[in-house]
């Protein structure tokens, strides 16, 4: 990566009009006792800087001068500056043709009108006529690119000077009230006064004072000059775009909190200038004027278009001045490195020299100038935060918009729980599954913990149908290897290891030779990594999950809860604290339906693993056998049918698949045959359960695209409706809940209790516990 070194000089204000004390406070005059002048201090600083650069074996590639060599147009400032630069720094690479100079508001002849070319006479004679790069001056008929653009010989960077001082020290056109002032005054005075003498006095005494009041120090960059520079930039056709630097005298944004309270303190057409800088992809702006050193970024958004467009990020380097009283310096070194691919900037202030002492080291500020808005389209989108609700909403929106079909990285740094009870809970957004303001369902801790618990089972009766249940892959990979035990042992032994990984893909089982007819989990890979909290008092265990594809509205919250559950298990085993959670999705999407995708395995199926006795009780209830505590079962069954009906609603088509029951329905059919006599109602109920299970199984084994869904949905809806009618005869409708949300909450509590084997309360609702 190539480097470059630039000297920035600004605001020396040589030959200051108003005398001011220098370094020392001499209250009396003594023969032979004197102080260094401003020019001498500047020259001494350059002399010592030259020696330092030679010792470092550094060579200057360019000099940028951003104005105010003079003070109130005092003659000789520009010549003094040029001679000093060449005298001391020629040995360090400074030449007449690698100096870029732009005038300041003190460098114009305020006695001349705006369009008079003599206003910049000394500036032009000193710099342009001697080969320096200068701005195009308004009014010039044409411009030679070689005079107005500095180009690095290796084409790594280029500098474009702008003149923001063309309207500096301008006399405003007097208003009619001012021009009518003389006749009005004449009427007020004694008629014995000679009118001619009165007019002469007016012109010599009053009018000059009025003109001073009517003068304005206007900062402006004309559209014509911007047009000229735009054409200069457009002429360049480099293979690799160089770093683009603009130099001007005035500031874009005040570099300090100090207030300058006067008319025309800022560039009048600043919005136009900023739009120009954005459109022409300027990387760095260097300026003076405010006598304040700073290094910062400026973010420029487009003037029109959606606000989610990336802003143009631009580095701004502001310079100080030759202010001996405050110790401010007009000099700084700008080091460019990492060009062309990863440019970085370091700004080193060169303090003013004190005769008899070595040149001190000044502060250094660093920053990157990577063109983030020039990355390849479709690059990763990153969402970060520590509030699960906020991060969830943003991630869903990103997956639906700018990250759709691309990579989405979500970095969640959860705040520590305030109570032990909270510490046991899994992170889960309150607004699931409707982060955009729709009424959310009652999917709380019991529901998510029950679901996560099922996904982490090491053995499942559904394993043949769903061979990629996460727990089976982590604890019985290839049917025998416990990856979790390996992780724990490794993390205990080595706090710096990066090998704390586990895979959920088994190529021998999941892959086919030609890639056809494959069905394996989106959750592919998990990694645990130690991190110190900074103070060394806590060992934090971070968790990273990689997903080949990830649906964010329904799946991502479950994935995060599952990662947290695994993170807590491992952290407890290795004496650590759960840290950050990062999910990496190679293919992000958000499906805006009212029903969850296959993540929400129906309760009827999960009960086969988690609470088979609940299935037995449900089959008895459906068979018409009275149960003393059937109300919770009735709610579960009613909600299951409602959810299955919703899944078969064409408006809820989900390309990720919809949750359908298979094995639980088949088990219910078999149990009903055992608990009831064969009659017409029971036969029809069993046949309907079997038909729905068959339809669901065919759909699950299909590609689950829209065509497959449209074949499945009408038949499934028919059988679900029939089940509702058949079971209404044997299942008493549950009491009307206060709200749908409360109904779901109570039913989910039943699910959770059943999954944990919790005893039933006398009221018919299961005892719930926090897992």
């Amino acid at each position: 990566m190539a480097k470059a070194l630039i000297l920035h000089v600004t605001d020396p204000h040589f030959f200051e009009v108003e005398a001011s004390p220098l370094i020392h406070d001499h209250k009396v005059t003594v023969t032979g006792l004197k102080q260094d002048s401003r020019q001498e201090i500047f020259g001494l600083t350059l002399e010592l800087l030259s020696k330092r650069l030679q010792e470092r074996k550094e060579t200057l590639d360019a000099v940028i001068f951003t104005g105010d060599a003079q003070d109130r147009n005092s003659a000789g400032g520009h010549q003094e500056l040029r001679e000093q630069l060449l005298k001391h720094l020629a040995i360090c690479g400074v030449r007449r043709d690698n100096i870029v100079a732009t005038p300041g508001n003190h460098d114009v002849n305020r006695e001349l009108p705006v369009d008079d070319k003599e206003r910049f006479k000394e500036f032009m004679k000193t710099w342009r006529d001697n080969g320096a790069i200068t701005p195009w001056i308004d009014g010039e008929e044409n411009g030679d690119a070689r005079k107005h653009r500095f180009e690095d010989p290796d084409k790594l960077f280029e500098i474009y000077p702008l003149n923001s001082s063309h309207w500096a020290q301008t006399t405003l056109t007097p208003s009619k009230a001012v021009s009518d002032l003389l006749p009005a005054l004449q009427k007020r005075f004694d008629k014995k006064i000679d009118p001619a003498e009165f007019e002469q006095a007016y012109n010599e005494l009053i009018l000059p004072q009025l003109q001073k009041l009517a003068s304005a120090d206007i900062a402006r960059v004309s559209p014509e000059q911007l047009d000229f520079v735009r054409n200069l930039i457009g002429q360049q056709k480099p293979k690799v775009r160089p770093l683009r630097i603009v130099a001007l005298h005035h500031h874009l944004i005040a570099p300090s909190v100090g207030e300058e309270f006067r008319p025309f303190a800022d560039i009048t057409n600043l919005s136009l200038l900023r739009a120009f800088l954005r459109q022409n992809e300027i990387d760095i702006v260097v300026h003076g004027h405010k006598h304040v050193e700073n290094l910062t970024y400026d973010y420029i958004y487009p003037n029109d278009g959606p606000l989610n467009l990336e802003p143009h990020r631009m580095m701004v380097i502001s310079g100080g001045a030759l202010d001996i009283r405050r110790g401010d310096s007009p000099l700084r070194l700008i080091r460019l490195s990492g060009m062309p691919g990863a440019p970085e900037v370091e700004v080193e202030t060169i303090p003013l020299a004190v005769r008899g002492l070595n040149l001190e080291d000044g502060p250094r500020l660093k920053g990157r100038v990577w063109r983030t808005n020039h990355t390849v389209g479709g690059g990763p989108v990153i969402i970060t935060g520590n509030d699960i609700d906020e991060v969830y909403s943003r991630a869903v929106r990103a997956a639906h918009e700018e990250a759709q079909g691309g990579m989405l990285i979500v970095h969640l740094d959860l705040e520590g729980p305030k109570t032990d009870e909270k510490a046991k809970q899994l992170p889960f957004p309150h607004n699931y599954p409707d982060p955009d303001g729709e009424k959310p369902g009652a999917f709380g801790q019991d529901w998510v913990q029950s679901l996560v618990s099922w996904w982490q089972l090491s053995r499942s009766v559904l394993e043949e149908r769903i061979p990629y249940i996460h727990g089976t892959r982590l604890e019985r990979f290839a049917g025998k290897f416990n990856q979790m035990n390996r992780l724990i042992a490794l993390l205990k032994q080595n706090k710096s290891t990066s090998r704390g990984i586990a895979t959920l893909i088994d190529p021998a089982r999941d892959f086919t030779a030609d890639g056809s007819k494959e069905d394996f989990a989106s959750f592919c890979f998990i990694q645990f990594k130690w991190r110190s909290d900074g103070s060394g008092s806590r060992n934090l265990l971070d968790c990273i999950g990689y997903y080949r594809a990830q649906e964010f509205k329904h799946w991502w919250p479950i994935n995060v809860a599952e990662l947290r559950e695994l993170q807590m298990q491992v952290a407890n085993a290795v004496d650590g604290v759960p840290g950050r959670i990062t999910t990496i999705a190679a293919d992000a999407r958000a499906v805006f339906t009212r029903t969850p995708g296959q993540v929400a395995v129906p309760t009827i199926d999960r009960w086969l693993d988690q609470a088979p006795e609940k299935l037995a009780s449900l089959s008895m209830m459906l068979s018409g056998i009275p149960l003393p505590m059937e109300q919770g079962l009735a709610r579960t069954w009613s909600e299951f049918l409602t959810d299955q009906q919703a899944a078969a609603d064409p408006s809820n088509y989900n390309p990720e698949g919809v949750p359908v029951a298979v094995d639980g329905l088949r088990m219910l059919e078999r149990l009903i045959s055992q608990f009831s006599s064969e009659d017409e109602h029971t036969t029809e109920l069993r046949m309907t359960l079997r038909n729905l299970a068959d339809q669901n199984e065919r759909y699950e084994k299909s590609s689950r695209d829209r065509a497959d869904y449209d074949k499945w949905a009408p038949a499934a809806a028919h059988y679900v409706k029939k089940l509702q009618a058949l079971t209404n005869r044997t299942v008493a409708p549950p009491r009307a809940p206060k709200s749908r949300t409360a109904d779901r909450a109570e039913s989910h509590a039943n699910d959770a209790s059943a999954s944990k084997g919790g005893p039933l309360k006398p009221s018919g609702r299961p005892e719930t516990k926090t897992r």
Side-chain angles (χ1 to χ4, degrees):
M1 291 291 186
K3 299 180 179 180
L5 183 63
I6 300 171
L7 176 66
H8 176 213
V9 186
T10 193
D11 296 86
H13 289 269
F14 291 139
F15 308 110
E16 191 174 39
V17 173
E18 295 180 0
S20 60
L22 299 179
I23 295 178
H24 308 292
D25 185 12
H26 290 182
K27 291 185 168 63
V28 296
T29 302
V30 178
T31 303
L33 185 65
K34 74 178 192 71
Q35 294 197 61
D36 288 324
S37 67
R38 298 170 63 82
Q39 294 75 251
E40 288 170 330
I41 291 174
F42 184 80
L44 177 61
T45 304
L46 288 185
E47 179 185 341
L48 296 179
L49 172 62
S50 177
K51 292 179 180 179
R52 174 176 289 181
L53 292 175
Q54 292 176 64
E55 290 170 358
R56 294 175 176 174
K57 297 182 180 180
E58 290 185 302
T59 301
L60 289 166
D61 296 281
V63 174
I64 296 177
F65 165 55
T66 53
D68 282 359
Q70 305 178 151
D71 187 71
R72 304 189 187 186
N73 197 35
S74 54
H78 291 286
Q79 188 65 28
E80 175 75 20
L81 176 58
R82 183 177 181 275
E83 289 178 357
Q84 293 250 30
L85 289 172
L86 293 173
K87 174 184 176 182
H88 296 292
L89 297 176
I91 193 172
C92 299
V94 176
R95 308 181 307 273
R96 60 197 295 270
D97 62 347
N98 68 351
I99 299 174
V100 180
T102 188
N105 58 314
H106 282 256
D107 296 327
V108 299
N109 189 336
R110 63 184 66 195
E111 304 298 329
L112 299 175
V114 166
D115 293 328
D116 193 321
K117 295 180 180 179
E118 295 295 305
R119 275 166 58 86
F120 296 101
K121 181 178 179 179
E122 184 171 350
F123 173 86
M124 300 291 278
K125 180 180 178 181
T126 303
W127 300 109
R128 184 182 291 184
D129 293 353
N130 284 291
I133 308 299
T134 58
W136 180 83
I137 302 297
D138 284 84
E140 291 185 328
E141 293 183 2
N142 50 50
D144 186 345
R146 292 171 296 181
K147 297 180 180 179
H148 307 298
R149 175 182 61 221
F150 175 82
E151 187 176 39
D152 169 54
D154 295 326
K155 300 187 182 302
L156 294 173
F157 69 93
E158 53 193 21
I159 306 171
Y160 295 90
L162 291 178
N163 178 21
S164 58
S165 302
H166 186 75
W167 283 268
Q169 311 302 335
T170 300
T171 299
L172 302 177
T173 302
S175 66
K176 189 174 185 302
V178 174
S179 61
D180 291 345
L181 188 58
L182 178 59
L185 287 173
Q186 287 176 330
K187 291 180 181 179
R188 298 289 299 271
F189 283 89
D190 193 332
K191 293 182 179 180
K192 295 178 180 180
I193 298 177
D194 185 358
E197 291 181 3
F198 186 86
E199 185 171 354
Q200 181 181 357
Y202 174 82
N203 290 333
E204 293 177 358
L205 299 175
I206 300 176
L207 189 57
Q209 296 302 317
L210 290 175
Q211 287 174 338
K212 284 185 179 181
L213 292 174
S215 67
D217 197 11
I218 299 173
R220 185 175 187 266
V221 181
S222 71
E224 291 78 13
Q225 185 182 175
L226 295 178
D227 210 34
F228 176 82
V229 177
R230 178 183 61 82
N231 287 325
L232 279 187
I233 296 173
Q235 292 171 12
Q236 300 292 88
K237 303 295 180 185
K239 292 183 180 179
V240 178
R241 193 180 81 75
L243 199 70
R244 290 182 184 154
I245 303 173
V246 158
L248 77 166
H249 180 64
H250 291 88
H251 57 282
L252 302 179
I253 299 174
S256 74
V257 297
E259 179 184 22
E260 184 178 14
F261 194 77
R262 68 176 179 85
F264 302 106
D266 302 310
I267 295 174
T268 59
N269 58 344
L270 182 58
S271 292
L272 173 64
L273 175 58
R274 285 166 59 81
F276 164 86
L277 297 172
R278 172 188 168 89
Q279 192 177 84
N280 290 279
E281 300 176 342
I282 303 303
D283 301 293
I284 302 173
V285 169
V286 183
H287 73 84
H289 184 59
K290 295 293 284 185
H291 299 190
V292 175
E293 283 196 286
N294 203 356
L295 178 68
T296 187
Y297 291 114
D298 192 357
Y299 293 84
I300 307 176
Y301 289 84
N303 291 334
D304 52 13
L307 289 177
N308 61 357
L309 290 178
E310 284 292 322
H312 172 66
R313 192 182 77 167
M314 181 177 65
M315 178 174 282
V316 179
I317 302 171
S318 56
L322 182 55
D323 193 330
I324 300 170
R325 291 159 291 181
R326 297 196 312 176
D328 291 344
S329 173
L331 300 167
R332 63 214 41 82
L333 291 171
I334 300 173
R335 290 184 175 83
L336 306 178
S337 62
M339 297 179 294
E344 297 188 3
V345 172
E346 179 187 78
V347 178
E348 177 188 1
T349 298
I350 307 301
L352 291 173
V354 177
R355 194 171 297 281
L357 299 178
N358 292 325
L359 189 64
E360 294 183 356
D361 292 328
R364 298 190 181 202
L365 297 173
K366 295 181 180 181
R368 290 176 173 174
V369 202
W370 296 1
R371 291 183 286 273
T372 55
N373 53 325
H374 294 284
T375 54
V376 176
V381 175
I382 301 175
I383 305 291
T384 63
N386 53 24
D387 182 284
I388 184 71
D389 292 327
E390 181 180 273
V391 171
Y392 172 53
S393 297
R394 293 176 180 179
V396 170
R397 183 53 53 196
H400 185 59
E401 295 178 354
E402 66 267 27
Q404 186 177 32
M407 181 171 284
L408 178 54
I409 301 172
V410 182
H411 189 64
L412 188 62
D413 194 357
L414 295 169
E415 296 178 347
K418 294 181 172 56
T419 63
D420 291 340
E421 187 63 27
K422 287 285 185 181
K424 299 176 184 177
Q425 295 188 359
L426 300 176
F428 200 68
H430 295 91
N431 48 356
Y432 179 87
D434 296 306
D436 290 325
E438 300 173 30
K439 187 177 181 181
F443 299 94
Q445 276 296 308
D446 290 328
W447 181 79
V448 70
Q449 289 193 354
S450 172
L451 192 56
V452 166
S453 175
W454 182 83
W455 276 107
Q456 284 303 311
L457 290 175
S458 60
R459 295 180 181 276
S460 170
V461 297
L462 304 181
E463 196 170 340
E464 183 177 350
R465 171 182 153 210
I466 309 176
Y468 47 79
I469 296 171
H470 304 155
T472 65
R473 293 298 175 94
L474 291 173
E475 297 188 31
R476 289 191 304 111
F477 188 85
K480 56 183 180 180
F481 186 73
N482 192 316
Q483 298 187 79
M484 298 301 292
N485 288 345
R486 171 193 167 274
L487 274 172
I488 291 169
L490 181 64
L491 292 167
K492 279 183 176 180
Q493 298 167 11
N494 190 346
K495 296 292 183 183
S496 62
T497 184
S498 61
R499 293 183 289 115
I501 60 175
T503 180
L504 287 86
I505 295 178
D506 184 352
R509 182 174 184 179
D510 298 332
F511 294 173
T512 60
D514 60 358
S516 63
K517 297 182 179 179
E518 293 181 349
D519 188 18
F520 54 91
S522 292
F523 185 15
C524 300
F525 183 87
I526 190 171
Q527 179 177 13
F528 295 95
K529 192 173 184 300
W530 284 111
R531 173 174 57 88
S532 172
D533 65 354
S535 65
S537 60
R538 294 196 308 172
N539 293 317
L540 303 175
L541 191 67
D542 291 343
C543 178
I544 303 99
Y546 179 84
Y547 300 79
R548 60 179 174 83
Q550 194 171 28
E551 194 281 323
F552 275 78
K553 181 177 180 183
H554 299 289
W555 265 101
W556 182 82
I558 304 299
N559 296 148
V560 169
E562 190 177 1
L563 292 177
R564 189 62 156 191
E565 170 68 19
L566 293 169
Q567 188 182 36
M568 289 193 297
Q569 289 178 15
V570 176
N572 289 337
V574 299
D575 192 25
V577 177
R580 298 165 181 162
I581 294 175
T582 303
T583 62
I584 304 172
D587 183 353
R589 60 196 70 166
V591 179
F592 285 87
T593 63
R594 293 194 303 274
T595 60
Q598 286 186 298
V599 58
V601 179
T603 307
I604 302 302
D605 279 357
R606 285 190 282 119
W607 273 357
L608 283 168
D609 289 315
Q610 295 174 307
E613 72 282 0
K614 301 293 290 183
L615 277 176
S617 297
L618 179 60
S619 65
M620 294 174 66
M621 183 186 69
L622 295 178
S623 302
I625 300 174
L627 295 175
M629 298 174 291
E630 66 179 22
Q631 192 63 60
L633 294 174
R635 291 186 184 283
T636 300
W637 179 249
S638 176
E639 185 175 306
F640 165 72
L641 293 178
T642 299
D643 288 343
Q644 292 288 284
Q645 190 72 47
D649 184 336
S651 66
N652 287 331
Y653 167 68
N654 190 330
E656 301 289 328
V658 294
V660 294
V662 178
D663 300 81
L665 293 173
R666 296 200 188 285
M667 178 58 72
L668 279 175
E669 184 211 348
R670 289 195 294 271
L671 290 172
I672 288 172
S673 68
Q674 296 179 16
F675 289 124
S676 62
S677 58
E678 285 293 334
D679 56 27
E680 183 178 348
H681 168 75
T682 302
T683 301
E684 189 174 6
L685 176 60
R686 289 177 54 206
M687 185 64 67
T688 305
L689 289 168
R690 185 186 308 162
N691 288 338
L692 179 58
D694 290 343
Q695 289 291 335
N696 291 349
E697 188 172 27
R698 280 194 290 271
Y699 171 69
E700 264 202 351
K701 291 180 178 180
S702 72
S703 60
R704 297 191 292 274
D705 59 18
R706 185 75 206 206
D708 293 323
Y709 178 86
D710 288 341
K711 290 180 182 177
W712 165 80
H718 167 75
Y719 291 123
V720 169
K721 187 176 181 180
K722 193 170 182 180
L723 279 177
Q724 287 173 326
L726 288 169
T727 55
N728 279 343
R729 303 175 188 177
T730 56
V731 179
R735 65 183 183 276
K738 294 181 180 179
S739 67
R740 167 69 169 164
T741 298
D743 188 23
R744 295 182 70 95
E746 185 174 341
S747 185
H748 290 145
N750 293 341
D751 284 358
S753 177
S755 70
K756 304 163 198 168
L760 291 177
K761 288 182 178 180
S763 63
R765 296 173 60 187
E767 185 80 41
T768 58
K769 300 178 181 177
T770 302
R771 185 166 160 269

